Amino acid sequence: MQGDVDAGKMNAARHSLAHIMAQAVCERIPGTKLATGPATDTGFFYDFLTPRPITQSELLEIEERMREIIQLDVPFDRAEVTPEDARSLFADQPFKLEILEGIQSGSEDEDGNDTAKPVAQITTYTHDTFTDLCAGPHVASSGQIDPDGFQLTSVAGAYWRGDSSRPMLQRIYGIAMESGEQLDEHLAAVGHARSVDHRRLGKRYDLFSHSKAVGPGLTLWHPNGAMVRFLAERFSQEAHVLNGYSWAYTPHIGRAELWQTSGHLDFFADSMYAPLTVDGEPFYLKPMSCPFHLQIFMSRPRSYRELPIRLAEYATVYRYELSGTLQGLTRVRGFTQDDAHVLCLPEQAYGEVQHALRFCLYVLRTFGLTDFKAYVSTKPEKKAIGSDENWELTTQQLVSAVEEEGLKWEYDLGGGAFYGPKIDLKVLDSLGREWQLSTVQFDFNLPERFGLTYKGADSQQHVPVMIHRALFGSAERFFAMLIEHFAGAFPLWLAPTQVTVVSVTDHQIDYANAVADQLRHAKLRVSVDDGPNRLGAKIRDAEVMRTPFVFVVGRREMAEGLVAVRSREQGDLGPMSIEAFLEMIGDDYVRHPERII
């Protein structure tokens, strides 16, 4: 409970800092138009439309003015106002007037957040000379904020309402902690996180790239990165087949009628690419695989005896993301989902949820990921299909499944999709950051939309229960997480090159190649550095690339049929035979899946 209280106080402080920053910006740049300024998990931001650009160099001066306001210890005064008074108060603030319209229609609150409930009273908060339309919360007075506990970090562009057809605003980001000491600790951690950023390491280790010639958000996998991806997917695919999934392949495009039936053109069109015209008909690049897997189910009559049917696929899908939101491998336009869909009898549903969750945990743990937290998403307040009883029953089944696995969990209230509740499985990496990976989700929608049926034991037709399941989430996001989690030093079984053999002089090149062939015969991934560099440079090159083992072969090693082994983890291990090396690593250089369910 104390943690919740502390988090609430910090949220209020961060929100208050957003208002203080807005005051400082308005003072510095007259004519500034205000959008919204929420607190975030680590700080705050505010969006502005300004007569001129805000430069990065100005942030220090804005910070200094903020500290002056904090030290004045001015109170944050809440007031309830009528719609008429609010419109008068913000007459020269078009974004605030738009928010006021949303408040009166019951679609949003004072901070511009979507809400299904009409706001009972419009509120403002005033501190010093600044008044903002706001629902709170705030600190009682600015003096409760540590003036050394925050820092403005960057200014970036952001479309109003996230809509590229609306004005481009300037967003100033800030970080805020309880004290200057905590801020320093956080910035040190951020600095470390920046050093293992997958975009930086992707370039250093030659793993992937993006090309302007190809287009934004479309990834080129280089051989090193492609090998890690291949190994991860091969293990997972073999594990799927071993644990009762049937593999499928489906097209990259589908007729518009398919996406109309599925509801994607009603609910998801903004995230889909524009249609292609083929033989006079509109076709769409697929944003997900669900409708294709249902077509496989529908390809012939089904009996209850066949269920459950578990269809899985590595499916490359395409979603139109705004160019300003694209980031490395974590936000792209073309990505590969390890998609699976389970169609089962109602009485099988809980067992299938358990099966899917347990399988996800097994595969992720194989990759060295062990710290999980589950979020059970409940019925959204606005758009949702299915009865309250169905939602309550299936949500409780998801809760039971995560509790049976002993997972830490909490509700994500209202976070379910319109077609059903879900479990989102998030993992903490080596830096303590949370990554969204696996999802297990009920679907009350698609089986009925497509008219799916099976013949039951009573010889009548029934609609199957459908469960969506993603394991990695996307190959791209999962790979980004692995790069940062391991800081590029992939475990032996995932390393693109497991052993680099370096020759001391040209006289040992033939022997180095013979050693490499012997290792390849044992199914290890090997490279030979027979270039002109000195030995020290060759060893450093291999170590910089985080190769797990380096074999040095010189005159003595060649004469005795040995290799001098250097380990990334243990340092110099001395001379040994290839047979002794293979015995030492045992089965660590490869992973074979198990049947765990």
Side-chain angles (χ1 to χ4, degrees), residues 496-551:
T497 299
Q498 295 170 309
V499 179
T500 296
V501 184
V502 300
S503 57
V504 175
T505 71
D506 288 351
H507 296 295
Q508 291 87 44
I509 288 177
D510 287 344
Y511 179 62
N513 284 315
V515 167
D517 285 342
Q518 193 173 348
L519 293 173
R520 291 188 188 106
H521 185 72
K523 302 193 182 328
L524 276 89
R525 296 178 294 281
V526 190
S527 68
V528 176
D529 187 345
D530 55 6
N533 289 339
R534 291 180 179 273
L535 177 62
K538 291 180 181 181
I539 293 172
R540 280 195 302 276
D541 286 346
E543 290 176 342
V544 164
M545 292 302 288
R546 313 302 294 271
T547 308
F549 291 98
V550 179
F551 286 4

Side-chain angles (χ1 to χ4, degrees), residues 87-99:
R87 279 193 290 271
S88 175
L89 189 61
F90 298 103
D92 65 342
Q93 294 289 342
F95 303 117
K96 299 297 182 183
L97 293 175
E98 185 176 328
I99 291 172

Side-chain angles (χ1 to χ4, degrees), residues 393-411:
L393 173 64
T394 51
T395 300
Q396 189 52 50
Q397 288 180 332
L398 299 182
V399 169
S400 297
V402 298
E403 288 184 339
E404 280 204 31
E405 291 304 312
L407 295 172
K408 296 176 289 186
W409 71 278
E410 63 183 60
Y411 282 114

Side-chain angles (χ1 to χ4, degrees), residues 436-470:
Q436 163 68 54
L437 294 180
S438 307
T439 297
V440 180
Q441 180 157 22
F442 278 109
D443 190 336
F444 307 141
N445 179 53
L446 284 182
E448 291 190 358
R449 275 183 173 268
F450 280 95
L452 265 64
T453 61
Y454 63 90
K455 188 175 182 179
D458 59 0
S459 298
Q460 302 300 309
Q461 295 297 314
H462 301 274
V463 178
V465 173
M466 182 174 183
I467 298 167
H468 299 254
R469 195 242 57 203

Side-chain angles (χ1 to χ4, degrees), residues 382-394:
K382 284 189 175 180
K383 297 177 181 178
I385 64 171
S387 67
D388 288 342
E389 292 78 15
N390 247 359
W391 275 88
E392 180 62 33
L393 173 64
T394 51

